[in-house]
Amino acid sequence: MLVNSLMTALSCLLLPVAIASGETKITMDRNSNDEAGPAFKFQHVPPPSKNDSGTGAKFTVIDGDGDAAGGDLSRLNDGALPKEEDSPGDNFFFAAGTDGGRVLVDLNHAIEIKQVNTYSWHPSDRGPQVYELYASDGSSADFNAHPGNGKDPATCGWELKGKVDTRKLSDNAGGQYGVSVSDSSGTLGKYRYLLFVIHETENNDTFGNTFYSEVDIVGKDDPAPVASGPHDDSLNSITVMSTDGKCKITIQTSDDQALRDWAKDKLAPAMAEWYPKLVAMLPSPDFKPATNISVVIKPGRGVAETGGRRISANATWLKGEINRQATGSLIHEEVHVIQAYGGARRNNPNATRNPGWLVEGIADYIRFYRFEPEMHGADIRERAIANAHYDGSYRVTANFLNWTSEKYDKDLVVKLNAAMREGNYSKEIWKTSTGKTLEELGDEWKADLQKNVKPKQAS
């Protein structure tokens, strides 16, 4: 049965699921962005604990992939919480562009479970929680501990304990969310395994997977809870203000001394100096640039990637490039923060999709033709001309943008960026700005490359 309207108004919903032992209750609560704080205090859901039975449990992703920009799976049961609303490295979330995934929890032995509590925090669409919770003691003859690839857990030894969807708490998706799954009988049952089938909150863009901050599994015989606290990253954290005093830049480094020295002596000063320059290079009406940027340097894949105001960089790659490409690669990512294209679909329901080759091309254009032109990093070798195309992305597109800007319209990149930020990009911008179509410009650029290339320049 549903709770009365007063409780509903207080943002606490109890949604029943009938089972033999009693009645499952799903209590959901939300703090708005203005109300949220690092202690995760709610009116109806208990705060996170760092000594619950989930602390020693084994968490495993059995379907989907964690996002490289986020923290690893241990963030779900380490008893530590994010310090602020947009902190990817302090949360676990599934990869961009996917519909969530599945997380298996093994408690090592069956216990009487009193509550399962989940917590999340994000300023926008990645705050709400949407998942189904299953439980099993593992004793069923048909039990499958890894029901991946969309397999229905109910067909292989799992009980559905409840369905969670906190989006109904508010039209404004952002905020801090707490969910508690419990039972009117006192315990949910005696189980060893839990399964979270997690879904994205929206698919209007690729950033719809929830920032999960903590998962508590409270056993009937657990000791009195000890409140969780925020992650303490102070020992490896470097904070500087941009040279215009308008943006705080926090760099979370790895334990490697060489990387810490580079981050302090080279990266931080460069990002602080270039932040106001980038804002000035990429203006648009009513644009409000970020007032804080975070860089997390840790072992990972690739080079680096950006989500919103957060940059995640691969420590292994950076260490090998400290004296070559490391700083420039993160100026490229700082450009992505300033581009701020992610808000287009939220602010413009008819927003067009920005071409990825141009998003990356603009970032590399600024890197190689403004930040470090002496590197000639976007020059194209003679043997590469045959395969060069304006939409080749990164350095190739950067070369094309530079050529077009110098020959036809010095403000072309500004115009393209403004349109993309507002969700209004179309190929017509090229014709309006230069008098030629994108394809005609591409052909002319390639012909000029063939006439003017310098064979020994680096690519």
Side-chain angles (χ1 to χ4, degrees):
M1 57 184 174
L2 295 175
V3 296
N4 59 38
S5 59
L6 175 60
M7 294 297 285
T8 302
L10 291 172
S11 296
C12 176
L13 299 183
L14 307 183
L15 305 182
V17 179
I19 58 175
S21 61
E23 189 174 76
T24 299
K25 299 185 297 182
I26 301 176
T27 306
M28 302 185 290
D29 218 336
R30 172 182 178 267
N31 295 324
S32 69
N33 287 319
D34 292 336
E35 299 166 329
F40 280 67
K41 291 184 177 179
F42 298 96
Q43 187 171 1
H44 305 101
V45 174
S49 166
K50 63 180 180 181
N51 63 334
D52 60 281
S53 289
T55 303
K58 180 181 179 182
F59 284 63
T60 306
V61 172
I62 63 169
D63 218 350
D65 295 297
D67 198 298
D72 60 33
L73 203 58
S74 67
R75 290 306 198 194
L76 295 181
N77 68 328
D78 61 2
L81 303 168
K83 297 180 291 294
E84 55 188 12
E85 62 189 13
D86 190 6
S87 186
D90 292 339
N91 297 277
F92 173 82
F93 51 99
F94 283 99
T98 66
D99 182 17
R102 298 184 176 190
V103 174
L104 171 71
V105 181
D106 182 357
L107 295 165
N108 302 310
H109 60 276
I111 66 169
E112 290 283 352
I113 298 176
K114 183 178 178 181
Q115 293 176 339
V116 176
N117 303 329
T118 55
Y119 306 88
S120 59
W121 195 11
H122 189 265
S124 187
D125 297 326
R126 309 179 86 161
Q129 302 179 27
V130 183
Y131 65 83
E132 292 92 53
L133 174 65
Y134 292 85
S136 178
D137 61 8
S139 64
S140 173
D142 63 348
F143 175 64
N144 180 354
H146 296 81
N149 299 317
K151 185 176 181 61
D152 182 1
T155 65
C156 53
W158 292 88
E159 291 181 57
L160 176 64
K161 307 306 295 186
K163 297 182 178 181
V164 170
D165 188 345
T166 68
R167 292 175 296 186
K168 63 190 70 180
L169 293 182
S170 175
D171 292 334
N172 179 8
Q176 194 176 71
Y177 291 81
V179 176
S180 182
V181 182
S182 59
D183 192 275
S184 61
S185 68
T187 70
L188 287 163
K190 191 171 184 178
Y191 302 107
R192 172 175 173 172
Y193 302 98
L194 295 174
L195 178 68
F196 293 87
V197 179
I198 297 171
H199 305 283
E200 62 184 349
T201 65
E202 54 87 16
N203 58 12
N204 293 324
D205 52 38
T206 59
F207 303 110
N209 279 309
T210 300
F211 276 26
Y212 284 95
S213 307
E214 190 75 6
V215 173
D216 283 359
I217 301 163
V218 183
K220 181 181 178 182
D221 299 321
D222 281 1
V226 176
S228 298
H231 292 282
D232 183 8
D233 297 323
S234 58
L235 293 178
N236 294 328
S237 183
I238 299 165
T239 300
V240 295
M241 291 299 297
S242 59
T243 53
D244 63 354
K246 295 182 178 180
C247 183
K248 181 175 75 172
I249 302 169
T250 303
I251 303 172
Q252 180 62 41
T253 69
S254 74
D255 292 330
D256 185 89
Q257 186 63 50
L259 280 176
R260 287 202 301 270
D261 291 344
W262 163 76
K264 177 178 178 290
D265 298 335
K266 294 184 179 180
L267 179 62
M271 294 189 72
E273 176 187 352
W274 276 81
Y275 172 83
K277 293 181 179 180
L278 298 178
V279 172
M281 288 177 189
L282 299 174
S284 64
D286 302 320
F287 172 59
K288 296 180 180 179
T291 56
N292 61 81
I293 298 173
S294 290
V295 181
V296 178
I297 299 173
K298 63 181 182 179
R301 296 170 294 181
V303 176
E305 62 182 13
T306 298
R309 296 172 294 164
R310 302 293 171 163
I311 299 168
S312 179
N314 181 357
T316 305
W317 184 89
L318 288 174
K319 186 175 181 180
E321 294 289 334
I322 281 178
N323 296 315
R324 297 177 67 248
Q325 299 193 69
T327 304
S329 70
L330 292 186
I331 293 297
H332 172 108
E333 299 301 325
E334 190 174 30
V335 174
H336 284 324
V337 175
I338 302 301
Q339 285 172 315
Y341 298 152
R345 288 188 174 272
R346 289 189 288 272
N347 301 325
N348 178 3
N350 299 313
T352 56
R353 186 173 293 276
N354 294 323
W357 61 268
L358 187 52
V359 173
E360 299 297 344
I362 288 175
D364 257 9
Y365 164 75
I366 290 177
R367 172 188 173 181
F368 289 117
Y369 290 98
R370 297 294 183 267
F371 175 69
E372 48 186 6
E374 71 283 354
M375 284 193 65
H376 294 282
D379 290 357
I380 299 176
R381 293 178 180 175
E382 185 175 22
R383 65 176 180 268
I385 292 176
N387 294 320
H389 201 264
Y390 66 82
D391 62 358
S393 193
Y394 293 97
R395 301 175 188 224
V396 177
T397 296
N399 188 295
F400 170 67
L401 287 170
N402 183 64
W403 176 88
T404 310
S405 297
E406 289 188 341
K407 187 162 187 176
Y408 288 101
D409 185 353
K410 63 181 179 60
D411 294 322
L412 175 62
V413 171
V414 173
K415 295 174 182 177
L416 290 168
N417 175 75
M420 295 165 74
R421 187 180 280 153
E422 296 161 3
N424 296 321
Y425 171 79
S426 76
K427 284 187 174 182
E428 290 302 312
I429 298 171
W430 301 88
K431 184 70 178 287
T432 302
S433 298
T434 69
K436 295 188 177 183
T437 66
L438 178 56
E439 288 73 19
E440 289 171 340
L441 291 168
D443 290 342
E444 187 179 348
W445 161 71
K446 195 165 182 176
D448 270 9
L449 283 176
Q450 292 170 332
K451 289 189 295 184
N452 301 321
V453 72
K454 298 176 182 179
K456 293 185 179 181
Q457 290 178 342
S459 62

